[in-house]
Amino acid sequence: MELLLKMCLVSLFFGFCCLFKSFLQRRDQCCYLLAYECYKAKEDLQLQTDTCAKIVMQNKNLGLEDFRFLLKTIVNSGIGEETSCPRNILQGREATLADSLSEMDETIFDTLDNLFARYPSVSPSQIDILVVNVSMFSPSPSLTSRIVNRYKMREDIKTFNLSGMGCSASLVAVDVVQGLFKSYEDSYALVVSTESMAPFWYCGREKSMMLTNCLFRLGGCSMLFTNRRYLKHQAILKLKTLVRTHIGSNDDAYNSCIQLEDDSGYLGFRLTKYLTKAAALALTINLQVLVPKVLPLREILRYLVESRLRKKSGTKSQNLEVVGVGLNMKAGIEHFCIHPGGRAIIDGIGKSLALSEYDLEPSRMALFRFGNTSAAGFWYALGYMEAKKRLKKGDRILMSGFGAGFKCNNIVWEVLRDLDDANVWESCIDSYPPHIIGNPFMEKYSWLNDECLNFVRIDFSKILA
């Protein structure tokens, strides 16, 4: 009897130890954001109205109707006059390999230098994991190797290069880090997110491929993460939920956002009319997984009842603007960091989730000031929230975006302390938001719409020479 009692006690003790070990392992799988740094280009790289017009009009492949299309697009783009682009585009020449590498080095090294200066307690030699996402440019040696060489990082560092992942790639990179944190305890991880513009300026005249020239601009961000729980008091954000959705098996969705050559052989990025439907489908599937994780039960039940009634009444959700109608995301989320990829995407997600102009302001301002900086765009919007002192301890932030392939990725963060750093917005935050979000393109170039030009042959390349 005594032996049996001892065996039971030993078994209970062993079971308790296993449970406690499992608890400690799960506890150490947290993902904390310690710091981040966004890239701010030099003033000589700014793409102001006249400079932009000069670059466009130097393209002898374009005709009057093409210029009118571009004028309408850029006027309605939501982009201002202080965005930036690579030097070779400003100079009107094709990019060399040296131009592409220079663009990457300037963006990546600038943000990393500032990041290590901001968080001096972590040196490059202490980094355990390095993830770089650049969709359009993949040199050899890799960009992670260039970083390892520049900062003389350890021989056992785990490096990963993500390419072709599109505008939500930085969220994919965070997911990679979160997964690795489950296997590597007490680790530091760097995520570097940027995009290569230098070699990919589209010189053709296909309208669906001209859009990228109007929207994409120079930018990037570097982030420092850890799973060391004792550093929680130093962290600014904690990863709560991450949901990834990939609908690449759908041919229309796969081809809605794709890099290819046009009929004249010019390489570019085509955005098709199916893009909004692909975004709606991906967002709907993603929300089905995300919503139960972030919203209270009473809100979920209310939404299910309203959805059932809506189906009975015959109302259908056919596009991005009406997906999720009736869903109150504010019941579980305080701040919304929509990817600033374009005004249509911001407006669409805003309507589908019933967000106010206050909620959309950070994304609109990031688009206006910096343009579509691809996967780094989320962090410019986050920086705006922080600079405006919106983020308070306990608040939750939703980062939501789409990527080529076609993907929808959403992350929910928890704010761990009140945040008020002006960061990349320091020099201009007091002037935001402006009274009018616009640019002077129509004011300066409305003459392109004059019907008299239909009967005149003009060499536009010489107008702004």
Side-chain angles (χ1 to χ4, degrees), residues 260-277:
L260 42 69
E261 292 181 345
D262 64 14
D263 294 337
S264 300
Y266 292 103
L267 182 65
F269 217 84
R270 176 180 292 163
L271 306 178
T272 72
K273 293 182 179 180
Y274 191 81
L275 181 62
T276 54
K277 291 185 179 180

Side-chain angles (χ1 to χ4, degrees), residues 327-374:
L327 183 64
N328 181 19
M329 292 296 291
K330 295 180 183 179
I333 303 291
E334 284 76 29
H335 307 283
F336 298 85
C337 191
I338 309 303
H339 181 262
R343 198 173 74 172
I345 290 294
I346 297 173
D347 289 346
I349 296 182
K351 289 181 180 179
S352 68
L353 299 183
L355 304 182
S356 67
E357 278 302 313
Y358 177 85
D359 298 322
L360 299 176
E361 182 182 307
S363 297
R364 292 198 193 281
M365 295 304 104
L367 178 66
F368 181 75
R369 172 60 183 84
F370 296 99
N372 181 346
T373 55
S374 191

Side-chain angles (χ1 to χ4, degrees), residues 204-395:
R205 57 180 305 178
E206 187 173 323
K207 291 182 179 180
S208 63
M209 299 174 74
M210 291 182 190
L211 295 173
T212 55
N213 288 357
C214 297
L215 295 173
F216 284 87
R217 295 294 185 265
L218 192 61
C221 183
S222 292
M223 300 138 264
L224 177 62
F225 297 92
T226 188
N227 59 353
R228 301 186 180 197
R229 192 172 180 83
Y230 60 85
L231 293 177
K232 179 180 179 180
H233 68 285
Q234 297 181 22
I236 58 177
L237 300 178
K238 177 183 177 181
L239 179 60
K240 297 292 290 183
T241 302
L242 190 154
V243 179
R244 293 172 56 185
T245 301
H246 199 309
I247 58 171
S249 59
N250 182 310
D251 291 340
D252 289 330
Y254 175 83
N255 290 299
S256 66
C257 183
I258 189 169
Q259 185 185 25
L260 42 69
E261 292 181 345
D262 64 14
D263 294 337
S264 300
Y266 292 103
L267 182 65
F269 217 84
R270 176 180 292 163
L271 306 178
T272 72
K273 293 182 179 180
Y274 191 81
L275 181 62
T276 54
K277 291 185 179 180
L281 175 61
L283 179 61
T284 300
I285 296 173
N286 192 284
L287 289 178
Q288 290 173 355
V289 180
L290 178 70
V291 165
K293 297 182 178 182
V294 299
L295 295 187
L297 181 59
R298 66 178 185 278
E299 172 58 28
I300 296 174
L301 292 175
R302 183 195 66 79
Y303 175 68
L304 291 175
V305 171
E306 289 190 4
S307 296
R308 182 65 63 86
L309 294 175
R310 194 179 303 114
K311 286 182 179 180
K312 288 184 177 180
S313 66
T315 303
K316 296 182 180 180
S317 296
Q318 295 290 344
N319 54 58
L320 184 59
E321 295 185 356
V322 295
V323 170
V325 169
L327 183 64
N328 181 19
M329 292 296 291
K330 295 180 183 179
I333 303 291
E334 284 76 29
H335 307 283
F336 298 85
C337 191
I338 309 303
H339 181 262
R343 198 173 74 172
I345 290 294
I346 297 173
D347 289 346
I349 296 182
K351 289 181 180 179
S352 68
L353 299 183
L355 304 182
S356 67
E357 278 302 313
Y358 177 85
D359 298 322
L360 299 176
E361 182 182 307
S363 297
R364 292 198 193 281
M365 295 304 104
L367 178 66
F368 181 75
R369 172 60 183 84
F370 296 99
N372 181 346
T373 55
S374 191
F378 300 102
W379 307 94
Y380 287 96
L382 178 67
Y384 183 87
M385 295 180 192
E386 186 175 0
K388 284 293 187 181
K389 302 179 182 180
R390 293 187 177 191
L391 304 179
K392 305 300 180 182
K393 183 177 180 180
D395 286 354

Side-chain angles (χ1 to χ4, degrees), residues 18-29 185:
C18 290
L19 288 173
F20 186 67
K21 182 179 180 180
S22 176
F23 167 75
L24 291 178
Q25 287 177 341
R26 291 183 61 86
R27 186 187 69 170
D28 291 337
Q29 289 174 4
E185 300 178 2

